[in-house]
Amino acid sequence: MAAAARFLLRGAGSKAYISNVNSSAQSCLGTSLRKLSPSCLSQTKTQKKHSSHFTYHPDPVPSNYGPTTKMNLFQSVTSALDNTLASDPTAVIFGEDVAFGGVFRCTVGLRDKYGKDRVFNTPLCEQGIVGFGIGAAVAGATAIAEIQFADYIYPAFDQIVNEAAKYRYRSGNMFDCGNLTIRAPWGCVGHGSLYHSQSPEAFFAHCPGLKIVIPRGPVQCKGLLLSCIEDHNPCIFFEPKILYRAAVEQVPTEAYTIPLSQAEVLQEGSDVTLVAWGTQIHVLREVVTMAQEKLGVSCELIDLQTILPWDTETVCKSVAKTGRLLISHEAPVTGGFAAEISSTVQEEQVEVFRSGQEIDQLLTFTCFRANNSEVVYSELLRRSLSHHFSHLGTRPGKDPVFNHLVRKQHLGRGCPSAPCATTDCYFWFNEPSLYMRG
Amino acid sequence: MATVRVMKKMYGVCSHAIRQTTVLKAARILQQREFSVNEALRQQQFNSSEEKPQFPGASAEFIDHLEFIQPNVISGIPVYRVMDRAGQIVNPSEDPQLSKETVVNFYQKMTLLNTMDRILYESQRQGRISFYMTNYGEEGTHIGSAAALDPNDLVFGQYREAGVLMFRGFPLDLFMAQCYANADDLGKGRQMPVHYGCKDLNFVTISSPLATQIPQAAGAAYAAKRENTNRAVICYFGEGAASEGDAHAGFNFSATLECPIIFFCRNNGYAISTPTNEQYRGDGIAARGPGYGMMSIRVDGNGVFAVYNATKEARRRAVAENQPFLIEAMTYRIGHHSTSDDSSAYRSVDEVNYWDKQDHPISRLRHYMTARSWWSEDDERSWRKKSRKTVMEAFEKAEKRSKPHPDLMFTDVYEEMTPNLVKQKEAMWRHLQQYKEHYPMDTFTK
């Protein structure tokens, strides 16, 4: 496990793996369609996108938390941990390989700065790491445990679900492990394949007592991580590992917190609500632009940020306005957290439906490892054109953009993950060359 | 022959290692609560000039003949005892020389626990509480270990350690309140009977999943070490729970992270119905200690003084030297596993009778007291009567008490009430309003 992780890291460390490259491979179909469609012609001027493509959109420089420094996502984690170790003498950070800085470099320099009793390696045993963290928190320490990959959190499932989540409840509030925070690199990375890419948030979202948080970039990451550490409930903090190096922002150097259980509306819109968290936010940002440019559709984009307990109010309020909802996540569809969101929204909207107000059937769409805005966009079109955007004059079968995109999904070799979009299938075409370019 | 030679060699190496370790430990006692690990205990320095194995994971010598290590190379770990079955001190130098008052207190706590068990077991049979687990036969392990600890030491129990809590002064009323899940239950009626806990007495609330407390105890001990408050942690578990992965995690973490902790294994012969020979193949739980680099001992768990001495010394050294200790207390579960179990299906009445009549921790301590004229027949009679009466009083009081307020179903999930829980609570009250005839609302606190 650790060996595999390190192997992966070497690749990850050497280059940024988010590419924005022109593909030279054009399918014949694509070429012929382009001839027919003026909008496709415009697409050739922009750039061809691979399955794992998206452009990182940095947040604006925050002005209310003091001076800022340029940091990538892993440095913002380090900065948050640094602030915590400096201000809280009971704080300890531990996990596999954290002493030398961690395989993702999130704890670099902390052992030397704060001592080896505060930043230390544990044996290679996830159930032990979480169990140890729970005990340390019960005894009064601020425990920050690192699980090397979210894919390896499952041996600790019992400790998290049966122990951490229920400690306060079962003891009648006599004992709790609220000072425990579990950090884990999470999500698709491009070359991580089956066991270095998982997004297991839905497993834990079924467990009252836990908080689950996933940031979209460095500024959010530091503020949300510090909130998790300060929060008096056990928190799982999943860090999108594809963003560790690729996401760079001006991050405040001092400690600051961003409230948990509050979604953020990143862009206001009127026609459809798009909900995501972590990496998918950046995919959806592109979808927002594409929908606006190509269809004149106005999207409202929401970053959920906290998966549990999640901000139903913000999402429901938005859907009440737009009447349509699209959720995109990187995990399998069945039992995914999108299902929870869509069912909650429908339940909450029952009153609106009853009132006779015209609201189209809610859309929900989850996409697995389709880190490509075109995939999401075309799915949005495929599912919605016939019913929802008919007033815009586009119809399935007639719209060349739509045809081009959908057919490319199924026939083209340029989108290796497309066959897996909206499925429960773990299999996908792992073509490292696609991610190594640029 | 070959085997004997290897074994001798192994013992030679072992004793050498022990000597070395003792010297190192002695040095470390001087630097109390020192975090830096002695370099000699760490990975050895690479030295290519020496004709010795240089692998980073092990030391020792090369050999030039093929021999497997026998699994019983550390077999037959002896059982430390202080008094025999007749309550006689075997080796006077090992007598802890406890005062009459202390020993009588031991005895009274052991018998009070026994009385409480009988009444609560019967009450479950009569359908008055939902479930119960007796401590029959293991009273010596509870009282002997509890008495050897400092009251500040944090206890992580499994579920059959009621005597530890009783020794610390947990009142009968609260035992009963927990078993009845009434409004006085410190756990607010959320767990099955015997899942006790008490913050004031430093006894962490029991949870049903087995062995989960073991790595947690290691973490708590690490935090205690950093606090530097002369506090130790004790972690109880059965020989069955020691098969769980969490047990391995806890042992390995506490050894590598040098935690002041006592792992107290109650080896009572059965995990529900599974006997020890189907639970493990090595020499019990104590034999695992050396594999983790941990100090270990096996004691006669039915002799309260052996348990007391071993725990006391382990506690002293755990705190002074920041290292874990493993105590395997050999005992016997005389009762069924729980009220959901009938042990006659998997063990003989004769076997149970032997332990009940010939080697019971309570009768052994009584022999010891009688021999010193500290406890007469009259004392016994009046104590039995008195203890039964106090248990019955607490029992009746708990039975009359109302159930916790229904709102308590929703608190303590998180530290704060989250919006979804507030909604669900409101929904519950609407439901109760609508269908109140289906719920015994008058039994709950209003």
Side-chain angles (χ1 to χ4, degrees):
Chain A
M1 185 186 295
R6 288 196 187 109
F7 181 74
L8 178 78
L9 240 280
R10 207 156 289 147
S14 59
K15 24 182 110 176
Y17 27 80
I18 294 172
S19 54
N20 191 2
V21 277
N22 280 302
S23 167
S24 56
Q26 299 283 347
S27 71
C28 296
L29 187 69
T31 315
S32 59
L33 272 170
R34 262 204 323 277
K35 283 175 187 159
L36 297 171
S37 158
S39 40
C40 281
L41 280 175
S42 71
Q43 206 204 344
T44 51
K45 285 179 201 154
T46 60
Q47 288 157 327
K48 283 295 267 190
K49 290 160 184 174
H50 287 305
S51 65
S52 192
H53 170 278
F54 63 89
T55 307
Y56 182 75
H57 301 267
D59 263 34
V61 181
S63 54
N64 41 351
Y65 304 121
T68 60
T69 312
K70 195 171 159 188
M71 293 183 203
N72 62 25
L73 194 127
F74 82 68
Q75 288 163 334
S76 78
V77 171
T78 316
S79 174
L81 298 177
D82 193 348
N83 294 147
T84 302
L85 287 165
S87 64
D88 178 355
T90 73
V92 286
I93 295 172
F94 51 90
E96 291 157 18
D97 306 301
V98 303
F100 90 113
V103 296
F104 284 106
R105 315 313 290 145
C106 292
T107 51
V108 166
L110 298 178
R111 176 188 52 178
D112 293 340
K113 193 167 172 186
Y114 296 102
K116 53 193 168 192
D117 66 314
R118 301 192 64 193
V119 182
F120 52 92
N121 288 340
T122 65
L124 206 164
C125 180
E126 288 76 15
Q127 65 199 91
I129 292 168
V130 175
F132 184 90
I134 292 170
V138 166
T142 296
I144 303 166
E146 178 177 306
I147 298 295
Q148 202 163 69
F149 282 84
D151 308 62
Y152 307 135
I153 204 167
Y154 308 118
F157 199 77
D158 186 39
Q159 285 286 350
I160 295 171
V161 170
N162 266 334
E163 297 292 315
K166 298 174 175 63
Y167 232 98
R168 186 190 298 279
Y169 191 76
R170 74 180 185 215
S171 69
N173 204 20
M174 279 188 291
F175 296 95
D176 70 82
C177 61
N179 290 336
L180 170 68
T181 304
I182 301 163
R183 296 177 38 246
W186 162 99
C188 144
V189 69
H191 55 286
S193 200
L194 198 52
Y195 292 115
H196 293 84
S197 305
Q198 294 177 49
S199 305
E201 65 271 21
F203 289 111
F204 300 100
H206 195 50
C207 185
L210 297 177
K211 293 197 175 179
I212 306 165
V213 178
I214 307 173
R216 66 169 181 272
V219 172
Q220 303 300 310
C221 179
K222 181 171 172 181
L224 289 169
L225 178 54
L226 285 170
S227 286
C228 284
I229 293 167
E230 276 187 14
D231 194 84
H232 293 164
N233 299 287
C235 296
I236 304 178
F237 191 77
F238 286 126
E239 299 159 5
K241 58 182 162 305
I242 198 169
L243 302 181
Y244 271 139
R245 285 164 194 274
V248 180
E249 285 171 354
Q250 287 295 126
V251 180
T253 46
E254 292 304 311
Y256 61 98
T257 55
I258 294 173
L260 303 182
S261 293
Q262 277 187 25
E264 187 178 344
V265 180
L266 294 178
Q267 174 158 344
E268 293 196 3
S270 54
D271 297 331
V272 57
T273 302
L274 310 185
V275 175
W277 48 92
T279 320
Q280 286 292 310
I281 286 296
H282 308 289
V283 176
L284 290 192
R285 277 196 204 260
E286 288 186 358
V287 174
V288 169
T289 311
M290 290 162 84
Q292 186 67 58
E293 284 176 0
K294 295 181 180 178
L295 301 167
V297 166
S298 160
C299 300
E300 179 143 305
L301 177 59
I302 297 178
D303 181 359
L304 198 60
Q305 296 193 134
T306 301
I307 309 302
L308 190 74
W310 65 286
D311 184 355
T312 50
E313 199 188 331
T314 300
V315 175
C316 289
K317 222 164 106 183
S318 172
V319 180
K321 181 173 68 174
T322 62
R324 303 177 188 90
L325 171 64
L326 180 148
I327 309 147
S328 181
H329 62 53
E330 290 182 20
V333 173
T334 305
F337 198 66
E340 172 63 27
I341 296 173
S342 71
S343 74
T344 303
V345 169
Q346 299 202 37
E347 200 175 324
E348 295 283 320
Q349 296 302 308
V350 155
E351 293 308 312
V352 184
F353 283 123
R354 278 188 188 145
S355 70
Q357 189 185 331
E358 270 194 38
I359 288 190
D360 294 311
Q361 178 197 345
L362 290 173
L363 296 165
T364 57
F365 160 48
T366 58
C367 92
F368 177 58
R369 286 180 201 151
N371 271 345
N372 180 339
S373 49
E374 285 190 28
V375 176
V376 182
Y377 171 70
S378 66
E379 197 68 22
L380 170 69
L381 284 171
R382 185 174 70 76
R383 293 197 174 202
S384 61
L385 270 178
S386 56
H387 308 294
H388 302 288
F389 296 116
S390 52
H391 64 285
L392 299 167
T394 48
R395 292 188 304 283
K398 294 287 172 65
D399 177 44
V401 182
F402 170 75
N403 281 349
H404 167 65
L405 287 168
V406 172
R407 297 189 76 166
K408 197 179 88 175
Q409 297 308 311
H410 295 293
L411 304 173
R413 293 192 66 248
C415 282
S417 75
C420 285
T422 73
T423 75
D424 284 333
C425 179
Y426 279 113
F427 176 79
W428 63 311
F429 296 92
N430 191 14
E431 293 183 35
S433 60
L434 287 170
Y435 314 108
M436 291 308 186
R437 285 187 209 150
Chain B
M1 275 299 281
T3 317
V4 174
R5 200 174 60 233
V6 171
M7 282 182 64
K8 271 188 182 163
K9 207 178 268 178
M10 295 293 298
Y11 278 124
V13 171
C14 283
S15 60
H16 176 66
I18 290 164
R19 275 198 302 277
Q20 236 182 12
T21 318
T22 317
V23 174
L24 289 169
K25 296 295 180 203
R28 287 177 60 213
I29 295 169
L30 297 173
Q31 11 169 315
Q32 208 184 30
R33 298 263 160 172
E34 173 59 54
F35 277 91
S36 67
V37 185
N38 195 310
E39 283 304 317
L41 289 174
R42 295 197 153 194
Q43 208 156 292
Q44 60 181 0
Q45 292 285 310
F46 181 78
N47 183 350
S48 63
S49 64
E50 277 182 61
E51 186 49 28
K52 279 182 65 178
Q54 299 291 343
F55 307 109
S59 54
E61 306 297 322
F62 283 120
I63 55 168
D64 58 5
H65 47 276
L66 179 70
E67 271 178 13
F68 292 98
I69 298 164
Q70 296 295 316
N72 61 352
V73 68
I74 43 172
S75 75
I77 295 175
V79 181
Y80 167 72
R81 70 172 181 174
V82 173
M83 68 183 164
D84 62 17
R85 284 173 203 146
Q88 305 279 332
I89 298 292
V90 181
N91 174 358
S93 68
E94 292 294 319
D95 185 344
Q97 307 281 358
L98 299 172
S99 68
K100 175 187 169 188
E101 192 192 11
T102 307
V103 175
V104 169
N105 180 41
F106 281 15
Y107 183 77
Q108 289 185 331
K109 288 281 154 55
M110 286 161 78
T111 45
L112 182 63
L113 175 62
N114 193 269
T115 305
M116 182 178 84
D117 276 352
R118 283 175 205 285
I119 288 167
L120 286 173
Y121 183 82
E122 280 310 313
S123 78
Q124 193 280 337
R125 297 280 107 171
Q126 295 163 7
R128 300 163 100 162
I129 62 173
S130 61
F131 174 84
Y132 194 68
M133 299 176 105
T134 63
N135 302 277
Y136 302 148
E138 300 183 49
E139 296 89 347
T141 62
H142 299 188
I143 304 303
S145 59
L149 298 169
D150 187 279
N152 278 328
D153 293 343
L154 196 57
V155 179
F156 283 81
Q158 181 164 297
Y159 49 67
R160 210 185 300 281
E161 291 90 10
V164 176
L165 198 51
M166 187 174 269
F167 189 86
R168 288 197 167 191
F170 198 60
L172 284 168
D173 285 342
L174 289 179
F175 278 111
M176 300 295 172
Q178 200 285 327
C179 289
Y180 267 106
N182 70 22
D184 296 329
D185 174 18
L186 298 178
K188 302 180 187 170
R190 291 165 182 159
Q191 292 210 73
M192 286 170 76
V194 313
H195 291 62
Y196 313 111
C198 182
K199 181 87 177 170
D200 294 340
L201 298 175
N202 297 303
F203 190 100
V204 180
T205 303
I206 303 298
S207 76
S208 303
L210 285 180
T212 49
Q213 77 277 18
I214 303 178
Q216 291 170 14
Y222 190 87
K225 174 171 83 163
R226 288 204 65 242
E227 270 184 354
N228 205 359
T229 49
N230 191 36
R231 193 183 198 197
V233 171
I234 189 162
C235 178
Y236 293 91
F237 54 96
E239 89 287 348
S243 296
E244 290 278 6
D246 273 343
H248 160 70
F251 297 159
N252 202 24
F253 275 56
S254 63
T256 55
L257 297 166
E258 302 174 342
C259 303
I261 184 169
I262 303 146
F263 291 114
F264 194 100
C265 177
R266 299 175 291 97
N267 189 337
N268 65 12
Y270 292 90
I272 303 189
S273 71
T274 306
T276 53
N277 65 343
E278 291 169 20
Q279 193 65 248
Y280 52 74
R281 245 333 110 79
D283 182 22
I285 309 305
R288 298 180 197 173
Y292 290 105
M294 183 158 58
M295 301 290 284
S296 317
I297 191 170
R298 171 172 289 158
V299 303
D300 178 355
N302 291 351
V304 70
F305 297 138
V307 176
Y308 175 84
N309 282 353
T311 312
K312 189 132 189 118
E313 178 65 359
R315 198 243 167 238
R316 183 186 71 75
R317 290 190 59 185
V319 173
E321 302 163 24
N322 282 328
Q323 64 163 327
F325 281 75
L326 173 60
I327 297 173
E328 183 184 25
M330 308 308 289
T331 181
Y332 190 84
R333 193 196 77 210
I334 292 173
H336 305 300
H337 164 70
S338 73
T339 47
S340 309
D341 175 45
D342 174 9
S343 68
S344 66
Y346 52 81
R347 61 183 185 180
S348 73
V349 178
D350 288 348
E351 181 186 307
V352 179
N353 273 341
Y354 166 78
W355 293 98
D356 196 19
K357 310 290 179 219
Q358 309 289 318
D359 195 358
H360 199 290
I362 291 179
S363 50
R364 279 169 67 178
L365 187 60
R366 193 171 160 201
H367 289 316
Y368 175 89
M369 290 158 67
T370 310
R372 278 156 191 73
S373 306
W374 289 355
W375 195 255
S376 67
E377 278 295 329
D378 284 347
D379 291 332
E380 179 70 16
R381 258 193 306 277
S382 64
W383 168 244
R384 289 273 169 187
K385 206 172 149 191
K386 186 181 161 202
S387 57
R388 195 177 159 75
K389 187 164 166 273
T390 41
V391 172
M392 282 309 295
E393 278 169 9
F395 174 79
E396 282 159 12
K397 201 168 131 196
E399 198 168 35
K400 287 184 196 127
R401 193 81 171 85
S402 63
K403 299 291 178 203
H405 195 283
D407 276 354
L408 295 177
M409 278 167 64
F410 298 91
T411 58
D412 307 331
V413 177
Y414 293 96
E415 192 198 34
E416 68 280 8
M417 277 292 274
T418 55
N420 60 324
L421 287 168
V422 173
K423 263 187 203 160
Q424 288 161 22
K425 189 172 84 176
E426 288 163 359
M428 178 197 74
W429 281 112
R430 280 197 303 275
H431 174 88
L432 288 177
Q433 194 57 39
Q434 195 172 351
Y435 299 103
K436 50 180 173 288
E437 70 274 20
H438 297 291
Y439 293 91
M441 292 312 293
D442 53 334
T443 60
F444 290 90
T445 305
K446 294 196 177 59

